[in-house]
Amino acid sequence: FGREAIHEMRVDIKRLRACLLLVDSILAEDRSSEILPRLNRLFKRAGKVRHYQLEMDITRRYMDDSGLRLDWYYNLLKAQELHYRRRFEVLCDDFELSFVGRGVRKIGRLLDPIDNDKMAFLIRQHFEQLLKNLHAVALDSDSESAHFHAVRILSKETRYVLEVLRKFPT
């Protein structure tokens, strides 16, 4: 449950999500809904812990830079981080990952008949659609933070799909 472990787990879930959505696109059917809801719960619970960890880092840096004594605030953040860490631990104790393995095996059987050229074409097609979606976004000074966050998520998904696409010869 260390800082880096939680961060890496969240990044891995984002990568897995991007791959599952790519598979949905390749197969033209919804396969991700069997796996993603459970992973999203884990992702969000870990996100609460990560949020307070980052807030504590920012507060500590601000305290060091400005010389202000904000120990009371830092301690409040730490108490919240511990609360969410305990909730995350309980979820992890009861969390069974075998559903991911089963889902991946099912997906593998469905993707097996697709030859490499067709696979590369379908991945490229999905990647190009993600790029179009990114280019279609219009952000300005009136945009809400949720819009910026959506663009950030879409950018990461595009990046992860590009990582998969690069495995195929052009």
Side-chain angles (χ1 to χ4, degrees), residues 11-152:
V11 169
D12 288 344
I13 291 173
K14 289 176 200 174
R15 279 195 168 102
L16 185 55
R17 179 182 181 276
C19 284
L20 289 170
L21 294 175
L22 172 61
V23 167
D24 286 355
S25 174
I26 290 169
L27 297 174
E29 60 182 84
D30 180 15
R31 288 289 170 170
S32 62
S33 64
E34 297 174 20
I35 298 173
L36 280 179
R38 291 188 200 166
L39 288 178
N40 283 340
R41 188 167 176 231
L42 185 65
F43 182 82
K44 288 178 187 240
R45 194 70 62 91
K48 287 285 191 180
V49 176
R50 186 80 177 130
H51 168 77
Y52 286 104
Q53 289 173 343
L54 293 174
E55 288 293 319
M56 288 184 327
D57 290 346
I58 291 167
T59 302
R60 175 68 60 206
R61 206 172 0 210
Y62 186 74
M63 287 168 49
D64 292 344
D65 290 349
S66 67
L68 287 176
R69 301 300 307 162
L70 298 173
D71 294 334
W72 62 272
Y73 181 66
Y74 184 86
N75 291 338
L76 180 70
L77 292 172
K78 184 63 179 171
Q80 287 296 307
E81 190 258 355
L82 288 172
H83 168 75
Y84 285 108
R85 179 183 293 268
R86 281 188 217 105
R87 290 187 66 198
F88 180 59
E89 286 179 37
V90 168
L91 176 67
C92 288
D93 286 343
D94 296 334
F95 198 81
E96 181 59 48
L97 272 175
S98 61
F99 73 93
V100 175
R102 286 191 306 271
V104 168
R105 284 190 296 278
K106 276 188 209 173
I107 289 168
R109 285 191 298 271
L110 292 169
L111 292 176
D112 228 11
I114 303 173
D115 66 58
N116 274 357
D117 292 337
K118 176 77 170 172
M119 185 73 73
F121 172 77
L122 292 170
I123 293 170
R124 189 174 301 111
Q125 196 173 33
H126 182 71
F127 176 71
E128 289 170 358
Q129 184 58 50
L130 290 170
L131 284 178
K132 282 180 189 173
N133 293 349
L134 272 173
H135 287 293
V137 173
L139 295 173
D140 56 28
S141 60
D142 294 332
S143 297
E144 296 180 19
S145 63
H147 295 117
F148 287 100
H149 187 68
V151 169
R152 187 170 171 249

